[in-house]
Amino acid sequence: GAGVSQSPRYKVAKRGQDVALRCDPISGHVSLFWYQQALGQGPEFLTYFQNEAQLDKSGLPSDRFFAERPEGSVSTLKIQRTQQEDSAVYLCASSLWERGPSTDTQYFGPGTRLTVL
Amino acid sequence: AQSVAQPEDQVNVAEGNPLTVKCTYSVSGNPYLFWYVQYPNRGLQFLLKYITGDNLVKGSYGFEAEFNKSQTSFHLKKPSALVSDSALYFCAVRASGAGSYQLTFGKGTKLSVIP
């Protein structure tokens, strides 16, 4: 079946521009996560949705970062007034509700590579 | 705070030899532990996880990992390495308990299997 998809795969933005990154989770997956992966580092948690509810946004690095999942399916990560330090790969992951988000396996998309010039 | 250490940035192993990729963790309470693999320009692929029960966990592609609570380790192993196993491997931990959503990853270990 189809996995997690993300678009665009690559995005180049000029400093100060706003960008929107899209995530299509696996159909029926309740939980959705966003991660930021800097070059040479492991992914770092940004935010978590359970259906349409954003239950944890503690990893968002600044108020320029905003995520939404209005209908409990597709999610969008928006970055306003992009800065060079925002350059990274943004990964989306989803999981089916089995025992809960702590133990459920997360399935990752291919990521969006954002480069801010 | 929870953390993961992968002490080796790179591991080289000859094809057919056993491989080990090391991981140690720090977390409050009982840990949930995961291994993922990342191929170039692709997302992370799940290999295996430890939640509870048997300390030896078997996963995809012949990989296994052993949970050692006293040493706070969760090393990834495979009896016979393949060239196709060459990739970037990430260990991750999450604390048990309600409201624990954050999965914390290590920095990754690059595995190179030499033909």
Side-chain angles (χ1 to χ4, degrees):
Chain A
V4 177
S5 61
Q6 293 185 245
S7 60
R9 290 293 312 277
Y10 303 90
K11 177 69 178 177
V12 178
K14 293 183 179 179
R15 190 173 58 180
Q17 283 185 330
D18 298 348
V19 298
L21 312 180
R22 177 187 170 105
C23 172
D24 285 80
I26 295 172
S27 178
H29 277 199
V30 168
S31 299
L32 187 145
F33 303 81
W34 282 99
Y35 294 86
Q36 180 189 60
Q37 186 176 20
L39 190 63
Q41 302 295 317
E44 292 192 0
F45 171 85
L46 293 178
T47 188
Y48 165 65
F49 288 88
Q50 182 177 311
N51 294 309
E52 69 277 4
Q54 189 175 20
L55 299 187
D56 188 346
K57 54 182 181 179
S58 62
L60 295 176
S62 77
D63 58 7
R64 296 186 295 104
F65 286 71
F66 172 77
E68 61 183 4
R69 193 186 186 197
E71 298 180 356
S73 178
V74 171
S75 177
T76 304
L77 177 67
K78 298 179 179 178
I79 309 173
Q80 298 177 326
R81 306 180 303 281
T82 52
Q83 304 294 317
Q84 285 188 325
E85 60 263 29
D86 299 335
S87 295
V89 175
Y90 291 86
L91 296 168
C92 175
S94 69
S95 64
L96 181 65
W97 193 277
E98 298 176 43
R99 295 175 54 183
S102 294
T103 57
D104 294 341
T105 298
Q106 293 183 26
Y107 296 90
F108 283 78
T112 294
R113 182 178 297 277
L114 173 65
T115 303
V116 181
L117 303 177
Chain B
Q2 56 197 40
S3 65
V4 171
Q6 294 182 242
E8 301 154 318
D9 290 338
Q10 178 148 357
V11 170
N12 297 321
V13 63
E15 186 178 21
N17 283 3
L19 70 87
T20 299
V21 182
K22 296 179 180 178
C23 170
T24 58
Y25 66 90
S26 174
V27 70
S28 297
N30 293 321
Y32 298 142
L33 295 156
F34 303 78
W35 274 102
Y36 284 85
V37 60
Q38 187 174 38
Y39 296 97
N41 298 317
R42 297 179 66 177
L44 279 70
Q45 295 180 27
F46 171 74
L47 283 178
L48 50 81
K49 65 182 177 183
Y50 171 82
I51 303 302
T52 187
D54 193 348
N55 289 345
L56 183 64
V57 179
K58 294 187 182 297
S60 306
Y61 313 117
F63 284 94
E64 59 186 29
E66 185 166 11
F67 170 61
N68 188 317
K69 188 172 183 178
S70 63
Q71 297 186 5
T72 61
S73 67
F74 190 57
H75 301 330
L76 181 71
K77 298 181 180 183
K78 186 174 183 181
S80 179
L82 301 173
V83 173
S84 57
D85 292 330
S86 298
L88 192 56
Y89 289 80
F90 290 96
C91 180
V93 68
R94 182 189 281 122
S96 59
S100 176
Y101 307 122
Q102 295 197 26
L103 192 58
T104 298
F105 287 84
K107 291 186 176 182
T109 298
K110 183 179 180 181
L111 174 67
S112 293
V113 180
I114 303 162

